[in-house]
Amino acid sequence: MKDWKKDFLESFVLGPSTNKQCPEEVVKRCIELAYSDMMTAGRYYSASFLHTKDEICFAANKAVYESNYVFSRETIKDISSLFCDEIIGNGNRYVTGFGLAQKLINITYKYLYVFSDMIFTDRPVPDFSVCDCPLDSIIIKKLSIKDCFWSKITEQQYLECQAKITELLKENSPDSELSKLGNLAYDFINWKST
């Protein structure tokens, strides 16, 4: 029997034009959705990006595919160079390539997990236990880290945030499903409680 509610929600998120029977199309859409999420801050600086949306999304797709869908912090660093050398802007009005890239890559993996039953139809589901939590204002506020903004984050600040998330997850062990998601579990836990 068809699950109409689930089908509606999937179509709503992916868009009705996405062919849900085509894993490559679902992956591409996951990356586009993550890009759109990153643009909440990135839109103010996008005219200065070193590459276009299509080029950045293509590179992210290629990196994810070539890693066999296994998360890597190296992917964040590689993708960050597509936005800028280090920062765009000046004074207090700037973003870092690393901040934008962490959002794009981490949200991509979140969507890959959510839509894994559509994507990994002819291959094993990858190990999501090494994934990081996408950093945004809600997550950073929950971590009680002052003077830290996801769009301006440095690699060192990012590592500190992820280490704190790891510790918090150890203190409050997640259920059996979330325990398979590494730090990504923290995002699901906090979306539930916002």
Side-chain angles (χ1 to χ4, degrees):
M1 180 190 316
K2 185 172 179 134
D3 186 338
W4 290 99
K5 289 187 278 186
K6 183 180 176 196
D7 188 53
F8 165 77
L9 290 172
E10 290 168 347
S11 294
F12 180 79
V13 173
L14 293 173
S17 64
T18 302
N19 180 354
K20 295 184 293 184
Q21 272 62 60
C22 179
E24 294 80 16
E25 204 171 313
V26 176
V27 170
K28 183 179 180 223
R29 185 66 182 137
C30 288
I31 293 168
E32 289 170 349
L33 288 167
Y35 186 92
S36 179
D37 218 14
M38 174 276 304
M39 287 296 282
T40 57
R43 70 179 179 263
Y44 302 109
Y45 304 92
S46 61
S48 298
F49 289 175
L50 296 177
H51 293 270
T52 66
K53 173 187 175 182
D54 289 343
E55 291 168 335
I56 293 168
C57 288
F58 178 82
N61 196 333
K62 183 178 178 192
V64 167
Y65 177 79
E66 288 178 352
S67 71
N68 203 25
Y69 298 93
V70 176
F71 174 83
S72 165
R73 290 178 178 166
E74 285 302 310
T75 303
I76 295 172
K77 289 197 306 193
D78 293 343
I79 296 300
S80 71
S81 66
L82 300 176
F83 291 105
C84 59
D85 290 330
E86 267 186 57
I87 66 167
I88 300 172
N90 53 47
N92 195 35
R93 301 180 77 94
Y94 71 93
V95 292
T96 63
F98 194 89
L100 299 176
Q102 73 81 24
K103 185 81 157 180
L104 173 64
I105 297 303
N106 288 324
I107 294 290
T108 292
Y109 275 92
K110 180 179 181 178
Y111 283 127
L112 293 176
Y113 171 71
V114 168
F115 296 108
S116 59
D117 60 335
M118 292 180 197
I119 296 168
F120 306 107
T121 57
D122 61 350
R123 68 174 81 198
V125 175
D127 179 9
F128 287 99
S129 69
V130 295
C131 288
D132 279 345
C133 179
L135 299 180
D136 60 21
S137 59
I138 294 168
I139 296 296
I140 292 171
K141 183 177 180 184
K142 294 259 184 189
L143 296 175
S144 300
I145 297 176
K146 297 196 183 313
D147 300 321
C148 183
F149 306 93
W150 73 263
S151 59
K152 298 177 181 184
I153 203 162
T154 64
E155 183 177 3
Q156 185 57 42
Q157 289 171 315
Y158 176 83
L159 294 174
E160 290 168 11
C161 289
Q162 295 300 333
K164 187 163 186 178
I165 290 168
T166 300
E167 289 306 312
L168 289 169
L169 287 170
K170 283 180 185 173
E171 292 171 11
N172 304 307
S173 48
D175 65 29
S176 61
E177 179 183 1
L178 291 179
S179 66
K180 297 174 188 168
L181 298 182
N183 281 4
L184 180 56
Y186 195 75
D187 193 57
F188 284 97
I189 291 166
N190 284 288
W191 265 94
K192 176 186 77 148
S193 63
T194 55

